[in-house]
Amino acid sequence: QDHSSERVHTQFAQYATLALGNLAINTLIVYVLVEYANAYYLVAQTIGAGSVAFASYFVYRRYIFADTP
């Protein structure tokens, strides 16, 4: 892993941006499922959190914390 301070600052900015994006996407998924699909809110939250966590894992691994040559 590259531990230079420039890379760490870039990774943190990317991580924080994606975390905020994940929050917005999760909120949207829960809202749509509860309001339009009439899903129970805990089921909607489980689906939203699970799908966001699954997708973001690959983004974090592939782009944010990828090994650099």
Side-chain angles (χ1 to χ4, degrees):
Q1 289 182 336
D2 183 11
H3 293 289
S4 69
S5 63
E6 180 180 327
R7 179 70 180 144
V8 170
H9 290 125
T10 302
Q11 283 179 331
F12 176 75
Q14 291 172 335
Y15 180 88
T17 301
L18 186 58
L20 288 174
N22 287 342
L23 178 63
I25 292 167
N26 185 51
T27 302
L28 179 65
I29 290 170
V30 171
Y31 176 77
V32 168
L33 289 175
V34 170
E35 293 296 322
Y36 297 109
N38 295 319
Y40 184 59
Y41 78 97
L42 288 176
V43 172
Q45 183 61 49
T46 302
I47 292 169
S51 59
V52 167
F54 181 78
S56 66
Y57 168 79
F58 294 104
V59 174
Y60 286 128
R61 185 175 171 128
R62 172 88 171 148
Y63 297 107
I64 296 175
F65 298 115
D67 293 330
T68 55

